[in-house]
Amino acid sequence: MTTAEHREQASAPVVRTAAGAVRGSREDGLAVFRGIPFAAPPVGAARFQAPRPPVPWEGVREADAFGPPPPQEAGLLGPGGAAPSGDDWLTVNVWTPDPRPSATPRPVMVWIYGGAYKIGHSGSPGYDAQHLARAGDLVVVTLNYRVGIEGFARIDGAPANRGLLDQVAALEWVRDNIAAFGGDPGRVTVFGESAGAGSVAALLAVPSARGLFGRAVAQSVPGTYFSDELARDLAAAIAAEAGLRPTVADLATVDPRVLPEAGAALGEKMAARVDRWGRVAPTVTPFSPVVDGEVLPVTPWQALAAGAGRDVELLVGHNAQEYRLFVAMAGRLGKVTEDQATDALRMFGPGGGEAGERAYRTAFPQAGPGELYERVQSDWLFHMPSLRLAEAQAAGGGRAHVYELTWPAPALDGAFGACHGLDIPLLFGTYRADLGALLFGDAEVTEEARALSSFMRGAWTAFAGTGDPGWPAYDTERRLVQVLDARPEVRPYPEETSRRLWEDHDFPPLPLLGS
């Protein structure tokens, strides 16, 4: 080792966790630790089981590289070819201004990634948390959790919702260790987007997560929670793709890096099984949290309305044109036909069938097929579930702040609109990574974009520190929300027409319809 390398190692921060000491690195004024195990590798006898404590180590473990992603299908947020390999999927990463216990510990934000519950990992460049840690002078933690078959398939011999149990274990790690990194275990905010927001919403209803966080941010909550019957049927279909039964004994015979192929194969066939799987079939996503009665006893809306989140402060919202991302990625922008719009309205409209179609065509008489196709799926999948989470929180005696992002992504001359996922590069300031690379494209990152990005980081980190993002709590009289645009403003909820369409409709667990 050279003299320079000795000097660099001597200045690198070392923190002792419950399982052993870790050495991070100093990066532009922050101490950063990557790839710290919060649980043992979930392989061998531990495969498909609840997470187990990490194996302690001697000496100082180098924490300078992200842990390997959990096994998953390929995807935009999935691991690239340079991703590390190995079985230590369950790791956390920490960004902290000062990695020492403090008399005035900093607030902590814990990020849960999205990816349809089937892809994603905390090492994605789009989740680089340095800007958040600096903006809020706080500690940021990102975590890996099992996705797809490993994390969410409902199989015999395994607990349901293993991905959620991983998240609970990571939050327990934060509770037990974050003070050593300068964080306050009594001021933890969990935040996530898409499936990450669905996980946040679920954690509000998971009994074993109670007390592990006092604030929650849910960005674009998907309304898809599965009934136990639906989840078991989908798991049986996935296993059948591999010629197996939906049991631990059978599925454990397949390498975890190969098994995602069965989920991907089923996804390609799901759209043809509307008769059996209903609204979940067109989503081509056979994974979601399961309302199993134990890990997740009821839906998040039921739990919050009953007061489960009364002691948790909530920030929740969505983007104005959520579904446009999926329309664009399918090559359907400007190409949606009347028949396709009709099918979507009848599948996803409130009440379903002709009533669902009629409701939207009456409420939006000037809308063409493309707008109707996009709007009903934005509303069903993200808008209304997100708003209902705030309404359930208020009904249960808690407090919620609501936002809507309306600023359009700059790529393709704004054709993406304020689509799904745009909030990620804005919040993290990662305009050229992952979804940011798609939604910003080759467009200049303007001062307008940077100002909105700064506003969002300021609001999110202020909420993590104080519970107040800077605008009034939502109530069912004024319905005030923060509209995030070039000139952010507080005004009544912009999607009032859709809200009225859905106000008499619940979001129960998605059912199994039959053979």
Side-chain angles (χ1 to χ4, degrees), residues 37-53 55 68-71 86-91 144-147 150-151 162 166 252 256-257:
F38 67 82
V43 295
R47 192 168 175 201
F48 299 117
Q49 301 305 313
R52 302 177 181 184
V55 179
D87 298 330
D88 228 344
W89 315 326
L90 302 183
T91 59
N144 274 359
Y145 63 96
R146 283 172 284 181
V147 295
E150 301 292 328
R162 297 172 297 282
D166 292 345
R257 291 160 190 81

PDB file of all heavy atoms in Angstrom, residues 37-53 55 68-71 86-91 144-147 150-151 162 166 252 256-257:
ATOM      1  N   PRO A  37     -24.576  -5.039   5.574  1.00  0.00           N
ATOM      2  CA  PRO A  37     -25.645  -6.033   5.734  1.00  0.00           C
ATOM      3  C   PRO A  37     -26.566  -5.682   6.911  1.00  0.00           C
ATOM      4  O   PRO A  37     -26.088  -5.378   8.004  1.00  0.00           O
ATOM      5  CB  PRO A  37     -24.895  -7.333   6.013  1.00  0.00           C
ATOM      6  CG  PRO A  37     -23.496  -7.093   5.557  1.00  0.00           C
ATOM      7  CD  PRO A  37     -23.245  -5.634   5.768  1.00  0.00           C
ATOM      8  N   PHE A  38     -27.874  -5.695   6.668  1.00  0.00           N
ATOM      9  CA  PHE A  38     -28.826  -5.569   7.775  1.00  0.00           C
ATOM     10  C   PHE A  38     -29.490  -6.905   8.075  1.00  0.00           C
ATOM     11  O   PHE A  38     -30.238  -7.028   9.051  1.00  0.00           O
ATOM     12  CB  PHE A  38     -29.884  -4.495   7.483  1.00  0.00           C
ATOM     13  CG  PHE A  38     -30.842  -4.821   6.362  1.00  0.00           C
ATOM     14  CD1 PHE A  38     -31.959  -5.624   6.574  1.00  0.00           C
ATOM     15  CD2 PHE A  38     -30.646  -4.297   5.094  1.00  0.00           C
ATOM     16  CE1 PHE A  38     -32.848  -5.910   5.547  1.00  0.00           C
ATOM     17  CE2 PHE A  38     -31.531  -4.583   4.055  1.00  0.00           C
ATOM     18  CZ  PHE A  38     -32.635  -5.390   4.289  1.00  0.00           C
ATOM     19  N   ALA A  39     -29.226  -7.899   7.253  1.00  0.00           N
ATOM     20  CA  ALA A  39     -29.750  -9.247   7.459  1.00  0.00           C
ATOM     21  C   ALA A  39     -28.801 -10.232   6.792  1.00  0.00           C
ATOM     22  O   ALA A  39     -27.974  -9.857   5.957  1.00  0.00           O
ATOM     23  CB  ALA A  39     -31.157  -9.381   6.877  1.00  0.00           C
ATOM     24  N   ALA A  40     -28.934 -11.488   7.164  1.00  0.00           N
ATOM     25  CA  ALA A  40     -28.113 -12.524   6.549  1.00  0.00           C
ATOM     26  C   ALA A  40     -28.562 -12.766   5.110  1.00  0.00           C
ATOM     27  O   ALA A  40     -29.726 -12.517   4.766  1.00  0.00           O
ATOM     28  CB  ALA A  40     -28.225 -13.812   7.360  1.00  0.00           C
ATOM     29  N   PRO A  41     -27.680 -13.263   4.255  1.00  0.00           N
ATOM     30  CA  PRO A  41     -28.096 -13.580   2.882  1.00  0.00           C
ATOM     31  C   PRO A  41     -29.274 -14.560   2.896  1.00  0.00           C
ATOM     32  O   PRO A  41     -29.200 -15.610   3.539  1.00  0.00           O
ATOM     33  CB  PRO A  41     -26.839 -14.218   2.281  1.00  0.00           C
ATOM     34  CG  PRO A  41     -25.700 -13.637   3.063  1.00  0.00           C
ATOM     35  CD  PRO A  41     -26.225 -13.494   4.457  1.00  0.00           C
ATOM     36  N   PRO A  42     -30.359 -14.242   2.190  1.00  0.00           N
ATOM     37  CA  PRO A  42     -31.553 -15.102   2.218  1.00  0.00           C
ATOM     38  C   PRO A  42     -31.451 -16.245   1.220  1.00  0.00           C
ATOM     39  O   PRO A  42     -32.255 -16.372   0.285  1.00  0.00           O
ATOM     40  CB  PRO A  42     -32.674 -14.126   1.860  1.00  0.00           C
ATOM     41  CG  PRO A  42     -32.010 -13.129   0.971  1.00  0.00           C
ATOM     42  CD  PRO A  42     -30.584 -13.000   1.444  1.00  0.00           C
ATOM     43  N   VAL A  43     -30.466 -17.089   1.417  1.00  0.00           N
ATOM     44  CA  VAL A  43     -30.232 -18.228   0.530  1.00  0.00           C
ATOM     45  C   VAL A  43     -30.112 -19.493   1.372  1.00  0.00           C
ATOM     46  O   VAL A  43     -30.082 -19.445   2.601  1.00  0.00           O
ATOM     47  CB  VAL A  43     -28.957 -18.015  -0.321  1.00  0.00           C
ATOM     48  CG1 VAL A  43     -29.127 -16.835  -1.260  1.00  0.00           C
ATOM     49  CG2 VAL A  43     -27.735 -17.801   0.582  1.00  0.00           C
ATOM     50  N   GLY A  44     -30.045 -20.635   0.697  1.00  0.00           N
ATOM     51  CA  GLY A  44     -29.960 -21.892   1.426  1.00  0.00           C
ATOM     52  C   GLY A  44     -31.201 -22.111   2.273  1.00  0.00           C
ATOM     53  O   GLY A  44     -32.329 -21.934   1.807  1.00  0.00           O
ATOM     54  N   ALA A  45     -31.012 -22.454   3.542  1.00  0.00           N
ATOM     55  CA  ALA A  45     -32.141 -22.686   4.439  1.00  0.00           C
ATOM     56  C   ALA A  45     -32.931 -21.416   4.714  1.00  0.00           C
ATOM     57  O   ALA A  45     -34.093 -21.472   5.135  1.00  0.00           O
ATOM     58  CB  ALA A  45     -31.644 -23.283   5.753  1.00  0.00           C
ATOM     59  N   ALA A  46     -32.324 -20.247   4.475  1.00  0.00           N
ATOM     60  CA  ALA A  46     -32.993 -18.967   4.732  1.00  0.00           C
ATOM     61  C   ALA A  46     -33.802 -18.469   3.536  1.00  0.00           C
ATOM     62  O   ALA A  46     -34.500 -17.460   3.642  1.00  0.00           O
ATOM     63  CB  ALA A  46     -31.962 -17.906   5.116  1.00  0.00           C
ATOM     64  N   ARG A  47     -33.735 -19.192   2.432  1.00  0.00           N
ATOM     65  CA  ARG A  47     -34.421 -18.721   1.225  1.00  0.00           C
ATOM     66  C   ARG A  47     -35.936 -18.769   1.403  1.00  0.00           C
ATOM     67  O   ARG A  47     -36.475 -19.728   1.974  1.00  0.00           O
ATOM     68  CB  ARG A  47     -34.003 -19.565   0.024  1.00  0.00           C
ATOM     69  CG  ARG A  47     -34.457 -18.939  -1.300  1.00  0.00           C
ATOM     70  CD  ARG A  47     -33.812 -19.585  -2.463  1.00  0.00           C
ATOM     71  NE  ARG A  47     -34.338 -19.059  -3.716  1.00  0.00           N
ATOM     72  CZ  ARG A  47     -34.258 -19.686  -4.882  1.00  0.00           C
ATOM     73  NH1 ARG A  47     -33.640 -20.855  -4.960  1.00  0.00           N
ATOM     74  NH2 ARG A  47     -34.771 -19.148  -5.964  1.00  0.00           N
ATOM     75  N   PHE A  48     -36.609 -17.754   0.958  1.00  0.00           N
ATOM     76  CA  PHE A  48     -38.064 -17.601   1.048  1.00  0.00           C
ATOM     77  C   PHE A  48     -38.566 -17.496   2.500  1.00  0.00           C
ATOM     78  O   PHE A  48     -39.750 -17.667   2.758  1.00  0.00           O
ATOM     79  CB  PHE A  48     -38.800 -18.755   0.343  1.00  0.00           C
ATOM     80  CG  PHE A  48     -38.501 -18.866  -1.121  1.00  0.00           C
ATOM     81  CD1 PHE A  48     -37.876 -20.000  -1.633  1.00  0.00           C
ATOM     82  CD2 PHE A  48     -38.838 -17.840  -1.999  1.00  0.00           C
ATOM     83  CE1 PHE A  48     -37.605 -20.109  -2.991  1.00  0.00           C
ATOM     84  CE2 PHE A  48     -38.568 -17.944  -3.355  1.00  0.00           C
ATOM     85  CZ  PHE A  48     -37.952 -19.076  -3.850  1.00  0.00           C
ATOM     86  N   GLN A  49     -37.662 -17.200   3.420  1.00  0.00           N
ATOM     87  CA  GLN A  49     -38.064 -17.063   4.815  1.00  0.00           C
ATOM     88  C   GLN A  49     -37.952 -15.598   5.244  1.00  0.00           C
ATOM     89  O   GLN A  49     -37.431 -14.754   4.523  1.00  0.00           O
ATOM     90  CB  GLN A  49     -37.190 -17.948   5.714  1.00  0.00           C
ATOM     91  CG  GLN A  49     -37.260 -19.425   5.351  1.00  0.00           C
ATOM     92  CD  GLN A  49     -38.675 -19.976   5.325  1.00  0.00           C
ATOM     93  OE1 GLN A  49     -39.459 -19.747   6.252  1.00  0.00           O
ATOM     94  NE2 GLN A  49     -39.020 -20.709   4.260  1.00  0.00           N
ATOM     95  N   ALA A  50     -38.473 -15.301   6.426  1.00  0.00           N
ATOM     96  CA  ALA A  50     -38.322 -13.956   6.971  1.00  0.00           C
ATOM     97  C   ALA A  50     -36.831 -13.656   7.148  1.00  0.00           C
ATOM     98  O   ALA A  50     -36.026 -14.573   7.362  1.00  0.00           O
ATOM     99  CB  ALA A  50     -39.048 -13.857   8.308  1.00  0.00           C
ATOM    100  N   PRO A  51     -36.436 -12.398   7.029  1.00  0.00           N
ATOM    101  CA  PRO A  51     -35.014 -12.070   7.154  1.00  0.00           C
ATOM    102  C   PRO A  51     -34.470 -12.434   8.528  1.00  0.00           C
ATOM    103  O   PRO A  51     -35.167 -12.346   9.541  1.00  0.00           O
ATOM    104  CB  PRO A  51     -34.973 -10.557   6.920  1.00  0.00           C
ATOM    105  CG  PRO A  51     -36.360 -10.080   7.218  1.00  0.00           C
ATOM    106  CD  PRO A  51     -37.274 -11.200   6.813  1.00  0.00           C
ATOM    107  N   ARG A  52     -33.206 -12.871   8.541  1.00  0.00           N
ATOM    108  CA  ARG A  52     -32.521 -13.265   9.772  1.00  0.00           C
ATOM    109  C   ARG A  52     -31.413 -12.266  10.081  1.00  0.00           C
ATOM    110  O   ARG A  52     -30.915 -11.585   9.188  1.00  0.00           O
ATOM    111  CB  ARG A  52     -31.963 -14.676   9.611  1.00  0.00           C
ATOM    112  CG  ARG A  52     -33.046 -15.705   9.270  1.00  0.00           C
ATOM    113  CD  ARG A  52     -32.490 -17.093   9.037  1.00  0.00           C
ATOM    114  NE  ARG A  52     -33.563 -18.038   8.698  1.00  0.00           N
ATOM    115  CZ  ARG A  52     -33.372 -19.331   8.511  1.00  0.00           C
ATOM    116  NH1 ARG A  52     -32.157 -19.859   8.630  1.00  0.00           N
ATOM    117  NH2 ARG A  52     -34.400 -20.116   8.208  1.00  0.00           N
ATOM    118  N   PRO A  53     -31.002 -12.148  11.335  1.00  0.00           N
ATOM    119  CA  PRO A  53     -29.968 -11.164  11.688  1.00  0.00           C
ATOM    120  C   PRO A  53     -28.696 -11.366  10.870  1.00  0.00           C
ATOM    121  O   PRO A  53     -28.364 -12.502  10.472  1.00  0.00           O
ATOM    122  CB  PRO A  53     -29.719 -11.435  13.175  1.00  0.00           C
ATOM    123  CG  PRO A  53     -30.981 -12.082  13.661  1.00  0.00           C
ATOM    124  CD  PRO A  53     -31.479 -12.903  12.507  1.00  0.00           C
ATOM    125  N   VAL A  55     -24.801 -11.889   9.924  1.00  0.00           N
ATOM    126  CA  VAL A  55     -23.723 -12.646  10.558  1.00  0.00           C
ATOM    127  C   VAL A  55     -22.643 -11.656  11.006  1.00  0.00           C
ATOM    128  O   VAL A  55     -22.118 -10.894  10.183  1.00  0.00           O
ATOM    129  CB  VAL A  55     -23.134 -13.667   9.572  1.00  0.00           C
ATOM    130  CG1 VAL A  55     -21.994 -14.434  10.220  1.00  0.00           C
ATOM    131  CG2 VAL A  55     -24.230 -14.624   9.080  1.00  0.00           C
ATOM    132  N   PRO A  68     -24.943  -6.404  -3.780  1.00  0.00           N
ATOM    133  CA  PRO A  68     -25.555  -6.903  -5.013  1.00  0.00           C
ATOM    134  C   PRO A  68     -27.057  -6.718  -4.997  1.00  0.00           C
ATOM    135  O   PRO A  68     -27.694  -6.806  -3.943  1.00  0.00           O
ATOM    136  CB  PRO A  68     -25.181  -8.390  -5.019  1.00  0.00           C
ATOM    137  CG  PRO A  68     -24.889  -8.719  -3.595  1.00  0.00           C
ATOM    138  CD  PRO A  68     -24.328  -7.470  -2.981  1.00  0.00           C
ATOM    139  N   PRO A  69     -27.667  -6.445  -6.153  1.00  0.00           N
ATOM    140  CA  PRO A  69     -29.118  -6.319  -6.231  1.00  0.00           C
ATOM    141  C   PRO A  69     -29.792  -7.648  -5.962  1.00  0.00           C
ATOM    142  O   PRO A  69     -29.215  -8.711  -6.217  1.00  0.00           O
ATOM    143  CB  PRO A  69     -29.367  -5.870  -7.679  1.00  0.00           C
ATOM    144  CG  PRO A  69     -28.038  -5.454  -8.205  1.00  0.00           C
ATOM    145  CD  PRO A  69     -27.020  -6.242  -7.456  1.00  0.00           C
ATOM    146  N   PRO A  70     -31.029  -7.633  -5.471  1.00  0.00           N
ATOM    147  CA  PRO A  70     -31.771  -8.884  -5.355  1.00  0.00           C
ATOM    148  C   PRO A  70     -32.059  -9.444  -6.746  1.00  0.00           C
ATOM    149  O   PRO A  70     -32.146  -8.692  -7.714  1.00  0.00           O
ATOM    150  CB  PRO A  70     -33.059  -8.466  -4.643  1.00  0.00           C
ATOM    151  CG  PRO A  70     -33.214  -7.013  -4.959  1.00  0.00           C
ATOM    152  CD  PRO A  70     -31.827  -6.469  -5.044  1.00  0.00           C
ATOM    153  N   PRO A  71     -32.208 -10.748  -6.883  1.00  0.00           N
ATOM    154  CA  PRO A  71     -32.513 -11.334  -8.195  1.00  0.00           C
ATOM    155  C   PRO A  71     -33.793 -10.748  -8.769  1.00  0.00           C
ATOM    156  O   PRO A  71     -34.781 -10.555  -8.054  1.00  0.00           O
ATOM    157  CB  PRO A  71     -32.692 -12.817  -7.870  1.00  0.00           C
ATOM    158  CG  PRO A  71     -31.908 -13.034  -6.625  1.00  0.00           C
ATOM    159  CD  PRO A  71     -32.064 -11.766  -5.840  1.00  0.00           C
ATOM    160  N   GLY A  86     -23.371 -11.798  -6.070  1.00  0.00           N
ATOM    161  CA  GLY A  86     -23.260 -12.399  -4.750  1.00  0.00           C
ATOM    162  C   GLY A  86     -24.630 -12.560  -4.117  1.00  0.00           C
ATOM    163  O   GLY A  86     -25.655 -12.197  -4.696  1.00  0.00           O
ATOM    164  N   ASP A  87     -24.652 -13.138  -2.921  1.00  0.00           N
ATOM    165  CA  ASP A  87     -25.905 -13.438  -2.237  1.00  0.00           C
ATOM    166  C   ASP A  87     -26.269 -12.427  -1.160  1.00  0.00           C
ATOM    167  O   ASP A  87     -27.323 -12.545  -0.537  1.00  0.00           O
ATOM    168  CB  ASP A  87     -25.814 -14.829  -1.587  1.00  0.00           C
ATOM    169  CG  ASP A  87     -25.620 -15.932  -2.620  1.00  0.00           C
ATOM    170  OD1 ASP A  87     -26.102 -15.757  -3.754  1.00  0.00           O
ATOM    171  OD2 ASP A  87     -24.976 -16.947  -2.290  1.00  0.00           O
ATOM    172  N   ASP A  88     -25.403 -11.450  -0.887  1.00  0.00           N
ATOM    173  CA  ASP A  88     -25.656 -10.486   0.188  1.00  0.00           C
ATOM    174  C   ASP A  88     -26.582  -9.385  -0.316  1.00  0.00           C
ATOM    175  O   ASP A  88     -26.195  -8.222  -0.409  1.00  0.00           O
ATOM    176  CB  ASP A  88     -24.324  -9.887   0.665  1.00  0.00           C
ATOM    177  CG  ASP A  88     -24.194  -9.906   2.176  1.00  0.00           C
ATOM    178  OD1 ASP A  88     -25.224 -10.082   2.843  1.00  0.00           O
ATOM    179  OD2 ASP A  88     -23.077  -9.751   2.677  1.00  0.00           O
ATOM    180  N   TRP A  89     -27.819  -9.763  -0.640  1.00  0.00           N
ATOM    181  CA  TRP A  89     -28.746  -8.803  -1.238  1.00  0.00           C
ATOM    182  C   TRP A  89     -29.244  -7.780  -0.236  1.00  0.00           C
ATOM    183  O   TRP A  89     -29.605  -6.661  -0.622  1.00  0.00           O
ATOM    184  CB  TRP A  89     -29.967  -9.535  -1.815  1.00  0.00           C
ATOM    185  CG  TRP A  89     -29.675 -10.752  -2.607  1.00  0.00           C
ATOM    186  CD1 TRP A  89     -28.587 -10.956  -3.411  1.00  0.00           C
ATOM    187  CD2 TRP A  89     -30.466 -11.946  -2.676  1.00  0.00           C
ATOM    188  NE1 TRP A  89     -28.660 -12.207  -3.985  1.00  0.00           N
ATOM    189  CE2 TRP A  89     -29.802 -12.835  -3.552  1.00  0.00           C
ATOM    190  CE3 TRP A  89     -31.675 -12.333  -2.109  1.00  0.00           C
ATOM    191  CZ2 TRP A  89     -30.304 -14.099  -3.855  1.00  0.00           C
ATOM    192  CZ3 TRP A  89     -32.184 -13.595  -2.413  1.00  0.00           C
ATOM    193  CH2 TRP A  89     -31.502 -14.464  -3.261  1.00  0.00           C
ATOM    194  N   LEU A  90     -29.323  -8.153   1.033  1.00  0.00           N
ATOM    195  CA  LEU A  90     -30.025  -7.328   2.024  1.00  0.00           C
ATOM    196  C   LEU A  90     -29.041  -6.399   2.722  1.00  0.00           C
ATOM    197  O   LEU A  90     -28.499  -6.692   3.799  1.00  0.00           O
ATOM    198  CB  LEU A  90     -30.770  -8.219   3.009  1.00  0.00           C
ATOM    199  CG  LEU A  90     -31.786  -9.172   2.358  1.00  0.00           C
ATOM    200  CD1 LEU A  90     -32.534  -9.971   3.412  1.00  0.00           C
ATOM    201  CD2 LEU A  90     -32.765  -8.415   1.469  1.00  0.00           C
ATOM    202  N   THR A  91     -28.817  -5.250   2.098  1.00  0.00           N
ATOM    203  CA  THR A  91     -27.852  -4.282   2.611  1.00  0.00           C
ATOM    204  C   THR A  91     -28.452  -2.887   2.630  1.00  0.00           C
ATOM    205  O   THR A  91     -29.436  -2.606   1.940  1.00  0.00           O
ATOM    206  CB  THR A  91     -26.572  -4.263   1.745  1.00  0.00           C
ATOM    207  OG1 THR A  91     -26.935  -3.922   0.393  1.00  0.00           O
ATOM    208  CG2 THR A  91     -25.867  -5.604   1.754  1.00  0.00           C
ATOM    209  N   ASN A 144     -31.923  -2.303   0.203  1.00  0.00           N
ATOM    210  CA  ASN A 144     -32.373  -3.334  -0.723  1.00  0.00           C
ATOM    211  C   ASN A 144     -33.450  -4.176  -0.057  1.00  0.00           C
ATOM    212  O   ASN A 144     -33.417  -4.387   1.164  1.00  0.00           O
ATOM    213  CB  ASN A 144     -31.229  -4.264  -1.125  1.00  0.00           C
ATOM    214  CG  ASN A 144     -30.417  -3.749  -2.297  1.00  0.00           C
ATOM    215  OD1 ASN A 144     -30.699  -2.693  -2.850  1.00  0.00           O
ATOM    216  ND2 ASN A 144     -29.391  -4.496  -2.674  1.00  0.00           N
ATOM    217  N   TYR A 145     -34.386  -4.656  -0.833  1.00  0.00           N
ATOM    218  CA  TYR A 145     -35.347  -5.643  -0.344  1.00  0.00           C
ATOM    219  C   TYR A 145     -35.645  -6.617  -1.472  1.00  0.00           C
ATOM    220  O   TYR A 145     -35.488  -6.292  -2.649  1.00  0.00           O
ATOM    221  CB  TYR A 145     -36.630  -4.969   0.162  1.00  0.00           C
ATOM    222  CG  TYR A 145     -37.426  -4.209  -0.884  1.00  0.00           C
ATOM    223  CD1 TYR A 145     -38.499  -4.800  -1.551  1.00  0.00           C
ATOM    224  CD2 TYR A 145     -37.119  -2.885  -1.199  1.00  0.00           C
ATOM    225  CE1 TYR A 145     -39.241  -4.098  -2.501  1.00  0.00           C
ATOM    226  CE2 TYR A 145     -37.849  -2.170  -2.147  1.00  0.00           C
ATOM    227  CZ  TYR A 145     -38.905  -2.782  -2.789  1.00  0.00           C
ATOM    228  OH  TYR A 145     -39.638  -2.097  -3.733  1.00  0.00           O
ATOM    229  N   ARG A 146     -36.072  -7.818  -1.111  1.00  0.00           N
ATOM    230  CA  ARG A 146     -36.361  -8.833  -2.116  1.00  0.00           C
ATOM    231  C   ARG A 146     -37.576  -8.429  -2.952  1.00  0.00           C
ATOM    232  O   ARG A 146     -38.572  -7.950  -2.413  1.00  0.00           O
ATOM    233  CB  ARG A 146     -36.595 -10.183  -1.440  1.00  0.00           C
ATOM    234  CG  ARG A 146     -35.332 -10.867  -0.990  1.00  0.00           C
ATOM    235  CD  ARG A 146     -35.620 -12.106  -0.161  1.00  0.00           C
ATOM    236  NE  ARG A 146     -36.042 -11.771   1.194  1.00  0.00           N
ATOM    237  CZ  ARG A 146     -36.330 -12.674   2.138  1.00  0.00           C
ATOM    238  NH1 ARG A 146     -36.254 -13.978   1.852  1.00  0.00           N
ATOM    239  NH2 ARG A 146     -36.692 -12.278   3.346  1.00  0.00           N
ATOM    240  N   VAL A 147     -37.470  -8.632  -4.237  1.00  0.00           N
ATOM    241  CA  VAL A 147     -38.544  -8.302  -5.170  1.00  0.00           C
ATOM    242  C   VAL A 147     -38.963  -9.567  -5.914  1.00  0.00           C
ATOM    243  O   VAL A 147     -38.365 -10.629  -5.775  1.00  0.00           O
ATOM    244  CB  VAL A 147     -38.095  -7.209  -6.165  1.00  0.00           C
ATOM    245  CG1 VAL A 147     -37.820  -5.894  -5.444  1.00  0.00           C
ATOM    246  CG2 VAL A 147     -36.854  -7.648  -6.942  1.00  0.00           C
ATOM    247  N   GLU A 150     -38.879 -13.914  -5.170  1.00  0.00           N
ATOM    248  CA  GLU A 150     -38.207 -14.028  -3.873  1.00  0.00           C
ATOM    249  C   GLU A 150     -38.916 -13.214  -2.794  1.00  0.00           C
ATOM    250  O   GLU A 150     -39.000 -13.639  -1.643  1.00  0.00           O
ATOM    251  CB  GLU A 150     -36.746 -13.556  -3.993  1.00  0.00           C
ATOM    252  CG  GLU A 150     -35.903 -14.313  -4.990  1.00  0.00           C
ATOM    253  CD  GLU A 150     -35.618 -15.753  -4.584  1.00  0.00           C
ATOM    254  OE1 GLU A 150     -35.516 -16.035  -3.374  1.00  0.00           O
ATOM    255  OE2 GLU A 150     -35.508 -16.604  -5.494  1.00  0.00           O
ATOM    256  N   GLY A 151     -39.448 -12.055  -3.162  1.00  0.00           N
ATOM    257  CA  GLY A 151     -39.994 -11.152  -2.150  1.00  0.00           C
ATOM    258  C   GLY A 151     -41.490 -11.150  -1.991  1.00  0.00           C
ATOM    259  O   GLY A 151     -41.998 -10.839  -0.900  1.00  0.00           O
ATOM    260  N   ARG A 162     -42.492 -11.107   1.983  1.00  0.00           N
ATOM    261  CA  ARG A 162     -41.112 -11.135   2.465  1.00  0.00           C
ATOM    262  C   ARG A 162     -40.380  -9.834   2.141  1.00  0.00           C
ATOM    263  O   ARG A 162     -39.492  -9.415   2.898  1.00  0.00           O
ATOM    264  CB  ARG A 162     -40.390 -12.340   1.856  1.00  0.00           C
ATOM    265  CG  ARG A 162     -41.006 -13.663   2.306  1.00  0.00           C
ATOM    266  CD  ARG A 162     -40.434 -14.849   1.569  1.00  0.00           C
ATOM    267  NE  ARG A 162     -40.682 -14.829   0.127  1.00  0.00           N
ATOM    268  CZ  ARG A 162     -41.831 -15.163  -0.455  1.00  0.00           C
ATOM    269  NH1 ARG A 162     -42.870 -15.532   0.288  1.00  0.00           N
ATOM    270  NH2 ARG A 162     -41.967 -15.135  -1.773  1.00  0.00           N
ATOM    271  N   ASP A 166     -38.396  -7.588   4.816  1.00  0.00           N
ATOM    272  CA  ASP A 166     -37.038  -7.059   4.638  1.00  0.00           C
ATOM    273  C   ASP A 166     -36.991  -5.581   5.009  1.00  0.00           C
ATOM    274  O   ASP A 166     -36.053  -5.117   5.666  1.00  0.00           O
ATOM    275  CB  ASP A 166     -36.582  -7.232   3.195  1.00  0.00           C
ATOM    276  CG  ASP A 166     -36.367  -8.682   2.794  1.00  0.00           C
ATOM    277  OD1 ASP A 166     -36.290  -9.554   3.681  1.00  0.00           O
ATOM    278  OD2 ASP A 166     -36.289  -8.942   1.570  1.00  0.00           O
ATOM    279  N   ALA A 252     -37.184 -23.642  -4.464  1.00  0.00           N
ATOM    280  CA  ALA A 252     -35.814 -23.529  -3.975  1.00  0.00           C
ATOM    281  C   ALA A 252     -34.838 -24.377  -4.776  1.00  0.00           C
ATOM    282  O   ALA A 252     -33.618 -24.220  -4.635  1.00  0.00           O
ATOM    283  CB  ALA A 252     -35.749 -23.905  -2.499  1.00  0.00           C
ATOM    284  N   PRO A 256     -31.823 -18.666  -7.733  1.00  0.00           N
ATOM    285  CA  PRO A 256     -32.595 -17.431  -7.610  1.00  0.00           C
ATOM    286  C   PRO A 256     -32.364 -16.444  -8.750  1.00  0.00           C
ATOM    287  O   PRO A 256     -33.211 -15.576  -8.993  1.00  0.00           O
ATOM    288  CB  PRO A 256     -32.133 -16.846  -6.270  1.00  0.00           C
ATOM    289  CG  PRO A 256     -30.868 -17.544  -5.939  1.00  0.00           C
ATOM    290  CD  PRO A 256     -30.957 -18.896  -6.561  1.00  0.00           C
ATOM    291  N   ARG A 257     -31.263 -16.569  -9.462  1.00  0.00           N
ATOM    292  CA  ARG A 257     -31.003 -15.658 -10.582  1.00  0.00           C
ATOM    293  C   ARG A 257     -31.681 -16.123 -11.860  1.00  0.00           C
ATOM    294  O   ARG A 257     -31.791 -15.360 -12.816  1.00  0.00           O
ATOM    295  CB  ARG A 257     -29.496 -15.513 -10.793  1.00  0.00           C
ATOM    296  CG  ARG A 257     -28.815 -14.765  -9.651  1.00  0.00           C
ATOM    297  CD  ARG A 257     -27.313 -15.026  -9.574  1.00  0.00           C
ATOM    298  NE  ARG A 257     -26.775 -14.482  -8.334  1.00  0.00           N
ATOM    299  CZ  ARG A 257     -26.846 -15.102  -7.152  1.00  0.00           C
ATOM    300  NH1 ARG A 257     -27.420 -16.283  -7.057  1.00  0.00           N
ATOM    301  NH2 ARG A 257     -26.351 -14.535  -6.064  1.00  0.00           N
TER     302      ARG A 257
END
